[in-house]
Amino acid sequence: MEANNKFDKIVEARMKLKARFEEKMKLTPSVADDRPLGTGPANRHGMPQLPVGQYQTQKWPVLDLGYHPDVSLERWRLTINGEVENPVVLKWEDFMALPQTEDVSDFHCVTTWSRMDVPWVGVRLMDLAALVQPKETATHIMCYGYDTYTTNISLEEALKPDVLLVHTADGAPLSLEHGGPARMIVPQLYAWKGSKWIKRIQFLKEDKPGFWEERGYSNTAYPWRNDRYSDDDE
């Protein structure tokens, strides 16, 4: 009964968040751009399946800061805090007790490769946000990895239903080299916007650049606008 009550509260808070950000989400370029750049059939959001400047690969290249933090499930913690009403620190069993989402989405790396139709299992960021209840002042999040990586993302992008903290990919536990035990995926943006080895999500009342954003990468990272570097930002 307690678990059911918890899920009911998350669903209720999720609906409130969706109502709050739904119009902004509908206006984001990866959904609303009427002149997207790319090729192939339309994806489920109406964009060309392969964004401009990308090539499709079956492989999954490994890109990171050169350090693979080996965090056991017993030691793993996810802190969610900042501009929220109910900050939390989740253990692995807490994370796995949250509503689990299965989804299939594409993965677009800024280094020009795309991996299509990846099956994932994880927790929607929307559900994590529903758990902590962002304040009205919250506009962005900063994600932190166990490897010291950081990246920022607006709430209208972060709260989309295909943004997940995944623990399973291709039917198997997420491997260490790809960010296991859990990483964030952002299918409608370039993949650097999803932190590997994620350990903290901080809700912000104003935007701040993360690791690559401070080094000349785009703050917005829209694949169908070839939005790779800061000079490309609108």
Side-chain angles (χ1 to χ4, degrees):
M1 182 66 69
E2 183 178 344
N4 288 338
N5 289 339
K6 184 177 181 180
F7 279 21
D8 289 344
K9 289 180 180 178
I10 289 175
V11 170
E12 181 181 354
R14 180 201 300 159
M15 296 306 294
K16 290 180 180 178
L17 276 173
K18 183 180 178 182
R20 177 176 156 193
F21 286 94
E22 190 165 25
E23 288 307 312
K24 286 185 177 181
M25 287 191 282
K26 287 179 179 178
L27 295 175
T28 56
S30 297
V31 176
D33 196 337
D34 60 357
R35 300 183 68 182
L37 304 175
T39 58
N43 67 14
R44 62 184 174 183
H45 309 296
M47 300 294 108
Q49 187 179 43
L50 190 67
V52 60
Q54 298 290 109
Y55 70 92
Q56 184 174 348
T57 180
Q58 300 298 320
K59 297 180 180 179
W60 194 356
V62 176
L63 296 167
D64 49 56
L65 301 184
Y67 167 52
H68 295 177
D70 192 357
V71 182
S72 68
L73 299 184
E74 291 73 23
R75 290 179 48 239
W76 184 87
R77 299 290 185 274
L78 176 65
T79 299
I80 311 176
N81 59 11
E83 292 292 301
V84 300
E85 299 292 346
N86 303 308
V88 298
V89 179
L90 300 177
K91 296 181 180 180
W92 187 256
E93 54 265 33
D94 302 323
F95 178 67
M96 294 300 290
L98 293 170
Q100 300 292 309
T101 296
E102 297 183 16
D103 195 25
V104 176
S105 63
D106 302 333
F107 190 94
H108 305 297
C109 181
V110 71
T111 60
T112 74
W113 58 267
S114 291
R115 191 165 184 254
M116 304 302 192
D117 298 323
V118 184
W120 311 99
V121 184
V123 177
R124 283 193 176 115
L125 196 137
M126 171 73 86
D127 288 337
L128 292 168
L131 186 67
V132 298
Q133 297 184 27
K135 296 179 180 179
E136 291 292 330
T137 51
T139 61
H140 292 75
I141 60 172
M142 183 73 78
C143 297
Y144 300 79
Y146 275 95
D147 62 342
T148 74
Y149 184 73
T150 57
T151 189
N152 60 320
I153 182 172
S154 68
L155 280 184
E156 54 264 34
E157 292 290 352
L159 296 178
K160 290 181 175 180
D162 56 3
V163 175
L164 309 177
L165 266 63
V166 298
H167 52 75
T168 298
D170 298 314
L174 190 65
S175 67
L176 176 64
E177 66 182 0
H178 288 302
R183 67 161 296 158
M184 185 171 162
I185 60 161
V186 285
Q188 297 182 40
L189 301 176
Y190 287 122
W192 92 78
K193 286 291 188 177
S195 175
K196 299 168 79 169
W197 306 291
I198 194 163
K199 73 171 185 177
R200 181 187 177 198
I201 300 170
Q202 180 188 21
F203 284 75
L204 306 172
K205 60 183 177 181
E206 59 185 6
D207 195 13
K208 294 181 181 179
F211 179 88
W212 284 119
E213 293 80 17
E214 289 179 333
R215 289 161 175 79
Y217 276 46
S218 166
N219 200 49
T220 44
Y222 302 127
W224 291 273
R225 291 187 173 181
N226 210 25
D227 180 25
R228 302 170 193 268
Y229 305 106
S230 57
D231 289 345
D232 301 329
D233 288 353
E234 292 187 349

